[in-house]
Amino acid sequence: MSSLTEKDRPIVQLLLNTGTCPRCILRFCCVGSQTLYRRPHKDLIKDLKEFLKNNKEKEDTVCLEVVDPPCKRIRLEHAEEEPDDLNHNGALQQIPSVNDENTAMETSAVKVCNVCLGILQEFCKADFVKKVCQKINSADYQFTSFVFSVSLPPQLSVREHAAWLLVKQEMGKLGLSLAKDDIVQLKEAYKWIIHPQLSEELGVPADGKSLFEVSVVFAHPETEEECHFLATACPDCFKPAKNKQSVFTRMAVIKALEKIKEEDFLKHFPCPPSSPKNLCVALEIQCNNGAVFVAGRYNKYSRNLPQTPWIIDGERKLESSVEELISEHLMAEFKADSFNFSSSGREDVDVRTLGNGRPFAIELVNPRRIHFTAEEMKGLQQTINNSSDKIQVRDLQLVTREAIGRMKEGEEEKTKTYSALIWTDKAIQKEDIAFLDDIKELKLDQKTPLRVLHRRPLAVRCRIIHTMKSEYIDEHHFRLHLKTQAGTYIKEFVHGDFGRTKPNIGSLLNRTADILELDVESVDVDWPPTLDN
């Protein structure tokens, strides 16, 4: 059995006298029992009062006996002499002894804690837990577990550092040491208290791997400038960041505290830290569900529909897109904040996608609804298909983030088949194009096409036309069926792009050729799995 013992007495007495709450006292005494922290505040005050009254020769306590992990403090065989208590003009203040223990208890019960700024006091109560749960329930999320995160004001780390220096000096007098890492972290203690209450109120367990996150952001305006002296002492630790409103982030402050010398710290900050007048405030209570991923295949039947919104110089050119026709229904059903669309390649606005369609995936960000049966997904697919004659989707299903990688794997090695309607300036006969059927594994050198040069880097790409099959129509038209390496620019292979693609149909036929229509007939990516729709 491990609990508060006689060597903890001076720490308890010291911290109580300087305005530290009982739960922070337990943290600095390295008490690791979750159950103890969950005891009501007034009971902890009473327990500590009994502990201080107890016979100093007794090692065991009356009310604080718990099963704890071994104490991490190590007795120093040859403890160095500690300096005498110094006044705050650069050092530890002289702490008066507790003459009236009852007064110390009563004072600590009403003051805002000088270390946690009230987080382990007021924000552990049932009223605050209910406020958090009301926020969660009003947001209308689906979830079967939750993970709870806390954002603490950065100056809290400065106050904890000051309290640690105070306790460390007191322990040094007893020949003991206290490593900063041995102190129970405030976030950890807070979660020990909050998790059971949230679980009971919400009816689901806390789970560190849950995709549903509940976060609370605390602030303490009264003391927000307390860490500013660190920027002068350790300027290298505070670098402006584009996505941060202030350089005084919690991580920057912690880094500076690790770097600053004790004597420099004590010149700028009172030790023990002063008692604040006001509690922390909960600036934000936020909920967020992990992304859900939906995959399928789409067919595009329109020659006037881009895959994604077509916007040039801030002006929209066409009213809709494949992406929007699919995602608007998913967004509505999943109640998501936003989405990200990806696919296995893309077709031009005037190109149709036929056959089994093109694989696509949509990431739905922060969805409120996450559970869908196979039948419900089938119904959602039907809703999308009934909404437009320009597109159709198939094999619509929920997938994992990891599975989406399969859509992109080996894209360059995959094959695609096309059907192109081709015009020639000079008259042709069937026998003029028959030789195309005999060409196998034709290697092309394709410079980045002029039409995409504004968004693609200039490069020469080697691509392969695996097979071709011609279909004669009349003297100036024929259809060409091609099986190509993914990433081949088919339009440029037909007309040559002013010689930027070599060879090309024009050069092979020794005449000018152009493409009138192009269809994607298959995208040979074996994903997502075919469903029995």
Side-chain angles (χ1 to χ4, degrees):
M1 304 290 286
S2 177
S3 61
L4 291 180
T5 59
E6 180 59 30
K7 55 183 174 288
D8 294 311
R9 184 184 303 276
I11 300 171
V12 174
Q13 186 167 307
L14 174 69
L15 292 178
L16 273 175
N17 197 48
T18 56
T20 305
C21 74
R23 291 186 176 108
C24 279
I25 292 173
L26 293 179
R27 295 196 301 115
F28 278 89
C29 290
C30 306
V31 174
S33 167
Q34 298 186 23
T35 307
L36 266 183
Y37 289 88
R38 293 168 188 158
R39 288 170 64 82
H41 189 275
K42 63 179 181 180
D43 290 351
L44 287 174
I45 290 286
K46 181 181 176 183
D47 291 342
L48 292 176
K49 180 178 179 180
E50 290 296 323
F51 171 70
L52 286 180
K53 282 184 176 180
N54 213 20
N55 190 324
K56 292 187 178 183
E57 295 179 358
K58 292 182 66 176
E59 285 289 313
D60 295 328
T61 64
V62 175
C63 6
L64 286 178
E65 288 197 347
V66 293
V67 179
D68 284 345
C71 184
K72 297 178 182 177
R73 289 179 300 211
I74 301 173
R75 180 174 292 276
L76 300 176
E77 293 182 1
H78 304 286
E80 296 181 2
E81 285 188 28
E82 293 289 333
D84 293 334
D85 291 346
L86 300 172
N87 293 326
H88 173 62
N89 180 16
L92 298 170
Q93 294 180 6
Q94 181 71 37
I95 307 301
S97 60
V98 182
N99 296 321
D100 187 345
E101 290 173 355
N102 287 332
T103 302
M105 293 302 169
E106 291 166 5
T107 303
S108 65
V110 296
K111 280 186 177 179
V112 177
C113 177
N114 67 337
V115 179
C116 72
L117 301 174
I119 290 174
L120 294 183
Q121 295 171 299
E122 292 299 314
F123 295 98
C124 296
K125 293 182 178 179
D127 287 348
F128 181 69
V129 173
K130 287 183 178 178
K131 181 180 177 182
V132 173
C133 292
Q134 287 171 359
K135 174 75 173 181
I136 296 169
N137 292 329
S138 66
D140 197 28
Y141 282 90
Q142 278 187 342
F143 57 94
T144 55
S145 63
F146 69 92
V147 60
F148 183 68
S149 66
V150 185
S151 175
L152 302 175
Q155 63 268 31
L156 195 147
S157 298
V158 179
R159 288 177 162 265
E160 185 148 306
H161 188 78
W164 169 63
L165 292 178
L166 180 72
V167 172
K168 189 174 75 161
Q169 189 211 40
E170 187 69 21
M171 293 182 67
K173 296 176 182 178
L174 303 175
L176 298 171
S177 69
L178 175 64
K180 200 171 183 181
D181 289 343
D182 289 341
I183 302 167
V184 175
Q185 294 296 306
L186 192 153
K187 282 188 178 183
E188 188 174 14
Y190 188 56
K191 290 178 183 180
W192 288 347
I193 302 164
I194 287 291
H195 275 172
Q197 297 184 69
L198 285 174
S199 291
E200 183 176 355
E201 193 77 20
L202 295 172
V204 297
D207 180 358
K209 295 182 179 179
S210 175
L211 294 178
F212 179 64
E213 180 183 22
V214 179
S215 61
V216 178
V217 178
F218 287 110
H220 195 257
E222 179 188 339
T223 60
E224 64 183 6
E225 295 184 0
E226 288 185 346
C227 52
H228 289 192
F229 74 93
L230 291 170
T232 303
C234 306
D236 292 345
C237 297
F238 299 92
K239 300 290 178 66
K242 291 181 180 179
N243 59 338
K244 300 291 183 182
Q245 293 182 346
S246 170
V247 295
F248 296 102
T249 63
R250 184 168 172 270
M251 292 310 297
V253 168
I254 290 173
K255 186 177 178 181
L257 291 173
E258 291 172 349
K259 189 174 181 180
I260 193 171
K261 295 178 180 178
E262 286 187 17
E263 56 267 31
D264 292 336
F265 178 87
L266 293 169
K267 287 177 184 177
H268 295 92
F269 199 82
C271 187
S274 59
S275 294
K277 296 178 181 178
N278 303 302
L279 288 163
C280 270
V281 292
L283 273 187
E284 296 176 357
I285 301 172
Q286 296 178 328
C287 304
N288 189 80
N289 238 340
V292 170
F293 298 86
V294 176
R297 286 176 172 263
Y298 73 79
N299 291 110
K300 178 167 95 74
Y301 302 119
S302 171
R303 296 197 187 276
N304 195 36
L305 183 70
Q307 186 194 63
T308 55
W310 193 8
I311 300 171
I312 299 176
D313 296 330
E315 182 181 345
R316 183 162 192 143
K317 296 299 181 182
L318 293 171
E319 64 178 16
S320 191
S321 65
V322 173
E323 171 187 294
E324 291 166 298
L325 290 173
I326 298 174
S327 64
E328 64 178 335
H329 299 283
L330 297 179
M331 286 281 290
E333 289 298 320
F334 283 82
K335 300 178 181 177
D337 284 351
S338 60
F339 70 91
N340 295 305
F341 181 92
S342 60
S343 63
S344 180
R346 60 186 298 142
E347 67 284 313
D348 291 338
V349 62
D350 58 348
V351 176
R352 297 187 303 177
T353 298
L354 308 176
N356 287 330
R358 185 185 297 277
F360 73 91
I362 293 181
E363 176 188 11
L364 294 154
V365 179
N366 193 22
R368 271 64 175 175
R369 186 181 176 190
I370 57 174
H371 302 300
F372 285 81
T373 65
E375 282 301 311
E376 287 174 325
M377 291 301 294
K378 189 175 180 180
L380 182 51
Q381 174 177 295
Q382 194 59 49
T383 299
I384 295 170
N385 291 341
N386 290 341
S387 67
S388 174
D389 59 0
K390 295 181 178 181
I391 64 156
Q392 294 277 282
V393 297
R394 67 180 71 200
D395 301 329
L396 196 69
Q397 58 196 277
L398 292 168
V399 297
T400 64
R401 182 189 295 272
E402 293 72 26
I404 292 178
R406 295 183 58 187
M407 182 175 70
K408 296 294 184 179
E409 282 176 6
E411 260 195 353
E412 295 295 309
E413 286 68 45
K414 298 296 182 182
T415 60
K416 297 182 180 180
T417 57
Y418 298 88
S419 173
L421 178 60
I422 297 172
W423 168 88
T424 61
D425 62 336
K426 295 178 182 178
I428 55 171
Q429 300 302 318
K430 189 173 183 179
E431 52 270 22
D432 294 329
I433 59 173
F435 75 98
L436 296 174
D437 298 10
D438 299 325
I439 297 177
K440 311 294 182 188
E441 306 303 318
L442 177 65
K443 292 183 179 179
L444 309 181
D445 287 325
Q446 291 197 301
K447 278 188 181 179
T448 305
L450 292 171
R451 63 188 173 91
V452 299
L453 198 53
H454 65 285
R455 56 184 171 88
R456 297 276 175 89
L458 177 61
V460 177
R461 298 169 178 84
C462 181
R463 293 291 184 262
I464 297 175
I465 306 294
H466 297 296
T467 62
M468 291 184 283
K469 183 174 177 58
S470 59
E471 183 182 326
Y472 182 80
I473 297 175
D474 60 36
E475 290 185 341
H476 291 281
H477 300 89
F478 70 98
R479 189 170 293 279
L480 188 64
H481 300 276
L482 310 95
K483 185 173 186 179
T484 75
Q485 179 184 355
T488 304
Y489 291 107
I490 305 302
K491 291 178 179 178
E492 283 66 27
F493 171 59
V494 173
H495 58 62
D497 198 24
F498 300 100
R500 297 169 69 85
T501 290
K502 297 178 181 178
N504 54 70
I505 292 296
S507 66
L508 292 172
L509 295 178
N510 195 27
R511 65 200 68 205
T512 299
D514 204 354
I515 188 165
L516 302 181
E517 292 179 355
L518 179 63
D519 293 329
V520 179
E521 293 191 330
S522 74
V523 179
D524 300 328
V525 177
D526 188 21
W527 190 88
T530 303
L531 301 180
D532 183 15
N533 291 326

